[in-house]
Amino acid sequence: MKKSLPYVYAFCLTFLLGLMVGQLSASAEGSVKIQKINKDAVIYEEPSTNSAEIGEVAKGSFVQVTQASKGWTHIQTPELAGYVTSDVLVKVKSEGYLVIQQGGTTLFTAPSQNAQHIGQLYEGRMVYVYGTAPGGWSFVQYGEDIGYVATIALKKPVPTKKQINAPNGAELRLTASSNGEVLGTIANKMTVQHYITLAGWAYVEAGDQKGYVKASELANIQLTNNKVYNKGVPAPKGSKKRVALTFDDGPDAKVTPQILATLQKYDAKATFFMVGKNVAKNATIVKHIYDAGHEIGNHTSNHKKLTALSIAGVKQEVNGTSNAIYAAIGQYPTVFRPPYGATNDQVRSVMTIPSILWSIDTLDWKHHNPDKILAYVKASVKDGSIILMHDIHQTTANGLDNVLLYLQKQGYEFVTVSEILQ
């Protein structure tokens, strides 16, 4: 006989296998596979429409996937385990969040205070959020435990960039414990994103690798190249001449997409030095820039003259933008440009990436004249030039086509700053 289940919004999945000392294990994502139901579906006892219908699962539900074959997928909800046709499932991505509520928060089987308690998520724990439900709830995974918590109890963490400092590499574990399952090894000197440290264990991410390493095996990034450059390296003999187009102060919601379209027309790559406050407002555009193969640079959070700030002030301006860029594209900026070209030993002591000035200033910010932009380029361009423009002025977008057309006819290749420094 068919058994219908209530349409509870977004089912959670497996329950706690066991509470250890009254709390959930602090483990990384990976041991539980979660997908989402994209339309109302019947759950069958066996992978066949001729088998018994044991229940239903509503559109929007999150389910645990245990196996799949020949058009059928075995799923598990808090109340049922059975088969659905694979076409009703879609893969979902998760994002890491921290529990910030003092005293922790409760994990429920459904998005309701009246639902069954699964366990307690303690303050400072890392969880994975797969989606939200009405009423201020988030569907999360914490180790092998899944369910709903109040969204207000969570916060998106800002990672810091660290480096593995272990000659034989650092063992990555599923839980914050020396008894935790070993997921792999992160190579020595590899850069990782560090989110939080708990009882001597650091939660880190390196590409697709996510988990815990000993906090003692992490080190701060050492200075690599904090030199200042105002021109690039001429192309090797027999190679095409190169110029690096750079755009400061964006991204701008109106102008930057126009500039991207013109660059695409000429198959040109460029470097965008972004202001942090504009990154936060235009994260989608930042992603488009990155996905198009352009380079993204740091131009501070508020375009302040760094030589007039304390070291703490410089760090705040630089790190704020680096974190905003990371939040938008999952990568940190590779180059830096100080506002007004103002730099000194104190500013450089903060930097771990090259500081880029320019060899051609088009003064587009001053004259707002497309013809003058081209005139400045014609007067000074040569192999290895770094050209300064701004992607916040409509006149710059209007004049860019003629600049690229001229340089193309002169035999120049358009490369990023990092490429022209090599």
Side-chain angles (χ1 to χ4, degrees), residues 9-10 34 36 60 62 92-95 97 111 128-134 136-141 147-149 151 154:
Y9 191 96
I34 295 173
K36 191 174 183 179
F62 296 94
V92 288
K93 292 184 177 180
S94 65
E95 291 188 279
Y97 277 74
Y128 289 91
V129 174
Y130 286 88
T132 59
W137 294 90
S138 291
F139 183 81
V140 308
Q141 174 191 345
Y148 287 91
V149 299
T151 302
L154 306 175

Side-chain angles (χ1 to χ4, degrees), residues 50-336:
N50 295 323
S51 69
E53 298 180 10
I54 60 175
E56 297 174 352
V57 62
K59 178 180 179 180
S61 300
F62 296 94
V63 296
Q64 180 183 355
V65 173
T66 56
Q67 64 183 46
S69 63
K70 298 181 179 179
W72 289 88
T73 300
H74 188 271
I75 66 168
Q76 187 170 337
T77 77
E79 300 177 2
L80 286 176
Y83 290 87
V84 296
T85 56
S86 299
D87 63 338
V88 304
L89 291 164
V90 292
K91 293 181 179 180
V92 288
K93 292 184 177 180
S94 65
E95 291 188 279
Y97 277 74
L98 285 176
V99 177
I100 59 168
Q101 183 167 307
Q102 188 173 4
T105 187
T106 303
L107 187 68
F108 295 91
T109 58
S112 169
Q113 293 284 349
N114 298 320
Q116 181 180 346
H117 294 195
I118 297 176
Q120 188 75 7
L121 296 175
Y122 287 88
E123 183 180 2
R125 299 298 191 256
M126 193 89 175
V127 301
Y128 289 91
V129 174
Y130 286 88
T132 59
W137 294 90
S138 291
F139 183 81
V140 308
Q141 174 191 345
Y142 187 72
E144 294 185 352
D145 306 301
I146 49 186
Y148 287 91
V149 299
T151 302
I152 196 172
L154 306 175
K155 181 180 180 181
K156 179 71 174 176
V158 177
T160 57
K161 194 159 50 172
K162 298 278 188 176
Q163 190 175 61
I164 296 296
N165 184 27
N168 297 321
E171 284 189 335
L172 185 72
R173 295 184 180 271
L174 182 64
T175 58
S177 166
S178 57
N179 296 322
E181 177 188 349
V182 176
L183 302 176
T185 301
I186 303 181
N188 190 36
K189 303 303 181 185
M190 179 173 284
T191 298
V192 299
Q193 311 302 330
H194 172 228
Y195 286 86
I196 191 170
T197 297
L198 294 169
W201 291 88
Y203 178 82
V204 300
E205 295 185 359
D208 292 334
Q209 293 181 292
K210 303 176 182 181
Y212 292 87
V213 299
K214 291 180 180 178
S216 60
E217 295 176 328
L218 281 185
N220 292 325
I221 299 291
Q222 300 299 310
L223 292 178
T224 51
N225 180 0
N226 64 343
K227 296 179 180 179
V228 178
Y229 298 86
N230 61 7
K231 61 182 178 180
V233 177
K237 188 175 181 180
S239 299
K240 202 170 186 180
K241 297 182 294 183
R242 305 180 303 173
V243 294
L245 305 169
T246 68
F247 298 91
D248 286 12
D249 296 355
D252 178 84
K254 179 182 177 183
V255 177
T256 303
Q258 297 176 46
I259 286 176
L260 284 174
T262 303
L263 292 172
Q264 183 179 18
K265 176 181 176 181
Y266 289 89
D267 193 25
K269 296 298 181 252
T271 301
F272 290 79
F273 289 97
M274 300 183 177
V275 172
K277 61 184 181 181
N278 292 334
V279 172
K281 292 188 296 185
N282 299 287
T284 301
I285 296 176
V286 178
K287 188 69 163 56
H288 288 164
I289 293 171
Y290 179 73
D291 289 344
H294 303 294
E295 186 170 25
I296 294 180
N298 185 321
H299 199 42
T300 74
S301 293
N302 299 289
H303 207 272
K304 293 182 178 180
K305 189 175 183 179
L306 297 184
T307 51
L309 302 180
S310 65
I311 287 184
V314 173
K315 287 182 178 179
Q316 184 175 6
E317 283 290 311
V318 173
N319 292 341
T321 297
S322 290
N323 288 334
I325 290 171
Y326 181 85
I329 64 171
Q331 299 289 334
Y332 284 102
T334 47
V335 285
F336 172 75

Side-chain angles (χ1 to χ4, degrees), residues 372-392:
K372 286 187 176 181
I373 296 174
L374 179 58
Y376 278 107
V377 170
K378 284 183 176 181
S380 304
V381 69
K382 60 182 179 180
D383 187 19
S385 289
I386 299 176
I387 302 173
L388 169 61
M389 292 175 281
H390 297 77
D391 59 321
I392 59 172

